[in-house]
């Protein structure tokens, strides 16, 4: 029995079969246990001899089994370690780091400047009704002024907003006649313009609106000049040209002087038309206001010397990466 068990234990292939052998020889119903149990049948002289022999064998087998157990465990561990070994000299996996899009960068800067002058940031929907985009802004039905901003319509009543000016009306309605109103609103706008270096069918505007008692054109001039000097640097030249928008009277267009390109138009502005105030529930006898709407791409192009508006939308990484450290 001893030889048979020793042989089996020494040649066993894995830990699991070793444990089976342990049960077979040393378990409660095991062969050796059987011998020890059957000792009662032996004569008094035989009992101590057989007893001590069986116990010896038991001890030896136990020792052998635990040695083999240890060696299997060690082997398993070293295999595991080998498999899990990390080669620290292999090149790592690098995750590309993105950067803030230049348009968002400039929007953040413009917001900071106006928040510093006491403006709040407002928002409005990109899908607008004809009422907010045109009607409430004094573009009368069939008025040729509607052609100034060629539009993308869903239905005769719903369109992609052509400018951020509808937010003027939405803000005034929400304020229910209370003053002061001092907001800016950045957002996407859409027009059926042909794309070229300075025009895009989808671009970004930032609207501004101030309504209070005694708001004047000279305050508009001061706010705009202060903004332009902050964004383009002190001493930047600005000029106002008379213009026409149905929702402002008088209306102006604002150009700034770029040493390389000359005068460039960046925004439209004016005193809020009394009819717009009235429609939105403000008494034009009591309150006045000014508004402006700037083209964000044009401002970013001037500030960073970008020659083509399409760069903002092509998302060429070589272009976008240049703004990482700005
Ligand atoms: C307007 O959209 C008026 N809502 C602005 C306004 C607001 C006037 C409040 C008075 C009071 P205009 O169509 O001129 O105006 O556009 C404003 C600015 O958007 C332009 O000065 C220009 O910088 C920019 N812009 C206009 N069309 C495009 C275009 N296709 N691509 C890129 N920028 C454009």
């Amino acid at each position: 029995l001893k030889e048979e068990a020793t042989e089996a234990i020494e040649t066993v292939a894995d830990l699991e079969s070793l444990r089976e052998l342990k049960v077979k020889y040393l378990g409660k119903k095991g062969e050796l246990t059987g011998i020890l149990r059957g000792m009662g049948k032996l004569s008094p002289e035989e009992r101590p001899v057989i007893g001590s022999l069986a116990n010896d064998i038991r001890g030896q087998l136990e020792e052998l089994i635990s040695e083999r157990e240890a060696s299997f465990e060690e082997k398993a561990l070293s295999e595991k370690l080998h498999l899990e070994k990390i080669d620290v000299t292999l090149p790592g996996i690098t995750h590309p780091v993105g950067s803030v899009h230049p348009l968002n960068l400039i929007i953040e800067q413009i917001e900071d400047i106006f928040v510093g002058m006491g403006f709040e940031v407002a928002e409005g929907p990109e899908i607008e009704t004809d009422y907010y985009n045109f009607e409430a802004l004094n573009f009368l039905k069939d008025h040729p002024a509607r052609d100034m901003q060629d539009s993308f319509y869903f239905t005769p009543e719903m369109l992609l907003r052509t400018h951020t000016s509808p937010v003027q009306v939405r803000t005034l309605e929400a304020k229910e006649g209370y003053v002061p109103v001092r907001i800016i609103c950045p957002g996407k706008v859409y027009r059926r313009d042909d794309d070229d270096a300075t025009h895009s069918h989808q671009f970004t505007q930032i609207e501004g609106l101030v309504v209070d008692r005694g708001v004047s054109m000279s305050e508009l001039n001061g706010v705009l000049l202060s903004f332009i000097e902050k964004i383009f640097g002190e001493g930047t030249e600005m000029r106002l040209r008379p213009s026409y928008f149905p929702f402002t009277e008088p209306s102006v267009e604002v150009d700034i002087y770029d040493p390389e390109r000359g005068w460039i138009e960046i925004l439209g502005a004016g005193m809020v038309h009394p009819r717009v105030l009235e429609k939105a529930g403000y008494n034009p006898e009591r309150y006045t206001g000014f508004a402006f709407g700037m083209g964000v791409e044009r401002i970013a192009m001037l500030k960073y010397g970008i020659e083509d508006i399409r760069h903002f939308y092509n998302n060429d990484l070589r272009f976008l990466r240049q703004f990482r450290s700005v």
Side-chain angles (χ1 to χ4, degrees):
L1 179 69
K2 184 190 164 190
E3 272 166 23
E4 181 202 307
T6 310
E7 159 104 27
I9 292 166
E10 275 173 352
T11 57
V12 77
D14 55 41
L15 197 60
E16 209 177 307
S17 352
L18 180 69
R19 297 213 162 116
E20 279 165 18
L21 288 176
K22 191 172 175 182
V23 174
K24 180 173 176 210
Y25 293 111
L26 305 177
K28 275 195 185 130
K29 290 177 186 156
E31 295 182 24
L32 203 60
T33 320
I35 294 172
L36 286 164
R37 282 230 179 93
M39 294 243 296
K41 289 175 197 145
L42 298 175
S43 66
E45 298 84 52
E46 280 173 319
R47 241 180 259 164
V49 183
I50 300 291
S52 89
L53 187 63
N55 273 331
D56 268 1
I57 293 173
R58 188 190 177 88
Q60 285 167 24
L61 290 183
E62 267 170 0
E63 205 173 305
L64 197 59
I65 286 171
S66 59
E67 266 171 31
R68 294 286 286 155
E69 250 170 6
S71 100
F72 278 128
E73 272 158 14
E74 202 178 298
K75 202 168 146 211
L77 182 65
S78 82
E79 264 166 23
K80 195 170 171 208
L81 286 176
H82 183 73
L83 282 177
E84 288 178 4
K85 199 165 103 177
I86 292 168
D87 183 351
V88 293
T89 64
L90 283 175
I93 302 163
T94 51
H95 298 281
V97 178
S99 52
V100 179
H101 192 279
L103 278 178
N104 289 330
L105 268 178
I106 200 101
I107 290 171
E108 278 169 26
Q109 290 175 37
I110 295 172
E111 282 180 359
D112 282 351
I113 293 170
F114 281 101
V115 166
M117 293 194 270
F119 285 70
E120 284 171 49
V121 180
E123 267 182 38
E126 284 173 34
I127 298 174
E128 260 303 1
T129 59
D130 181 82
Y131 179 78
Y132 285 109
N133 196 82
F134 292 125
E135 190 83 16
L137 290 166
N138 201 32
F139 285 85
L140 301 176
K141 283 243 186 296
D142 302 321
H143 191 285
R146 291 201 182 206
D147 298 339
M148 283 167 67
Q149 300 180 358
D150 224 353
S151 327
F152 292 111
Y153 278 93
F154 296 104
T155 69
E157 287 304 313
M158 303 292 284
L159 72 156
L160 285 168
R161 68 177 175 197
T162 57
H163 53 174
T164 43
S165 299
V167 183
Q168 289 185 32
V169 182
R170 289 181 175 275
T171 303
L172 291 175
E173 284 182 359
K175 293 259 185 183
E176 298 180 320
Y178 287 98
V179 289
V181 177
R182 252 180 129 75
I183 58 115
I184 56 160
C185 167
K188 292 188 173 77
V189 302
Y190 305 80
R191 288 184 196 179
R192 293 178 49 173
D193 278 349
D194 289 331
D195 291 359
D196 63 26
T198 52
H199 292 82
S200 175
H201 60 282
Q202 184 264 299
F203 61 100
T204 317
Q205 286 190 339
I206 295 183
E207 192 78 9
L209 173 68
V210 171
V211 175
D212 206 343
R213 278 176 192 267
V215 174
S216 67
M217 190 85 184
S218 68
E219 189 181 342
L220 169 64
N221 193 61
V223 165
L224 290 179
L225 190 59
S226 162
F227 159 69
I228 279 164
E229 290 207 320
K230 282 190 178 109
I231 200 99
F232 295 112
E234 252 163 64
T236 304
E237 279 183 273
M238 168 181 110
R239 82 175 177 194
L240 307 187
R241 271 182 298 116
S243 184
Y244 173 76
F245 298 104
F247 40 96
T248 47
E249 180 59 38
S251 303
V252 290
E253 256 158 342
V254 177
D255 303 335
I256 67 153
Y257 189 75
D258 180 61
E260 277 167 31
R261 293 181 248 204
W263 290 103
I264 301 219
E265 177 204 315
I266 57 162
L267 61 87
M271 297 304 292
V272 180
H273 198 291
R275 223 170 283 151
V276 173
L277 289 172
E278 203 164 16
K279 270 192 160 150
Y282 280 74
N283 180 355
E285 304 278 311
R286 205 189 270 171
Y287 303 118
T288 52
F290 64 75
F292 55 85
M294 60 180 86
V296 179
E297 286 81 357
R298 300 264 175 95
I299 291 172
M301 287 166 82
L302 284 169
K303 187 168 165 74
Y304 298 122
I306 298 162
E307 74 290 355
D308 195 315
I309 197 169
R310 289 167 288 206
H311 281 309
F312 292 109
Y313 301 105
N314 289 338
N315 287 325
D316 184 331
L317 288 179
R318 289 169 301 180
F319 170 72
L320 297 177
R321 280 193 185 122
Q322 296 178 68
F323 296 90
R324 256 191 205 157
S325 53
V326 176

